Amino acid sequence: SKATQPAVNVSFSPTSGSFNANEQKTLDIILQPQDSANKISGIDLKLSATGNAQFIGVNPPSVLSTGDTSVFASPILKNVANQEVHVIYTSSLPQAQLPNAVKIPVLYKGTSIGSGNITVDSVNTSIVGNISGNNYSLGTVNTGAYTFTSGTISPTATLTPAAPTLTPIGPTLT
């Protein structure tokens, strides 16, 4: 029997939520090999949006544990369309310095009131690293389901500040 290829999980944060339409939100896509000894050296990520979800941009990938964005150089490819994102990053660092978890912040919004989904195009997404055959299989892959509202927020509490009392201090200059 053939050994199973090591897998990388693709998780979304958040996976769901209700937001004001046209408000820019950030979806953190976290790539994490199931074996923490396995590292990531290259990312070819393709995302799709449906319904009222629309992509705005993609921020540089970072090491999940440190926030370091220097590991992956400028993207080899960065295409951001309304409902499709395709980014490719590689790292030239030696294996010992490669990350075992990467966060890619994807910016999106709801174009109007309603709902929308963000999904990973698993067929056209490829994550490579320090493993035999280089290419990880995809393990658990999250999707995002979001609701976009009118933006009228009903306050849960109304705070009325007490009016300050001003008392003059010291002599009055004339």
Side-chain angles (χ1 to χ4, degrees):
S1 67
K2 189 170 178 278
T4 55
Q5 193 64 2
V8 64
N9 292 338
V10 183
S11 49
F12 282 23
S13 178
T15 53
S16 63
S18 183
F19 312 111
N20 297 339
N22 287 307
E23 178 184 358
Q24 179 176 300
K25 302 304 291 183
T26 301
L27 165 63
D28 286 331
I29 297 185
I30 297 160
L31 308 172
Q32 196 155 22
Q34 292 176 349
D35 180 342
S36 63
N38 293 341
K39 312 283 189 167
I40 295 173
S41 59
I43 298 163
D44 183 342
L45 177 67
K46 209 162 183 188
L47 304 171
S48 299
T50 57
N52 295 0
Q54 179 178 310
F55 295 116
I56 299 170
V58 181
N59 285 340
S62 64
V63 178
L64 183 62
S65 57
T66 65
D68 181 1
T69 56
S70 69
V71 171
F72 294 96
S74 305
I76 292 171
L77 175 75
K78 182 174 172 181
N79 284 341
V80 179
N82 284 344
Q83 294 204 303
E84 188 174 287
V85 160
H86 188 192
V87 288
I88 300 176
Y89 304 95
T90 61
S91 178
S92 55
L93 289 179
Q95 184 175 310
Q97 295 172 40
L98 291 173
N100 63 2
V102 175
K103 177 173 81 174
I104 303 175
V106 175
L107 309 176
Y108 71 101
K109 68 175 185 177
T111 53
S112 55
I113 297 170
S115 61
N117 292 347
I118 296 177
T119 56
V120 175
D121 178 349
S122 297
V123 175
N124 294 300
T125 289
S126 165
I127 313 297
V128 298
N130 63 328
I131 55 170
S132 170
N134 296 324
N135 273 290
Y136 287 101
S137 64
L138 295 181
T140 304
V141 179
N142 286 166
T143 59
Y146 310 102
T147 304
F148 308 109
T149 61
S150 65
T152 51
I153 300 165
S154 52
T156 52
T158 308
L159 299 176
T160 312
T165 311
L166 300 176
T167 316
I169 302 168
T172 307
L173 302 175
T174 51

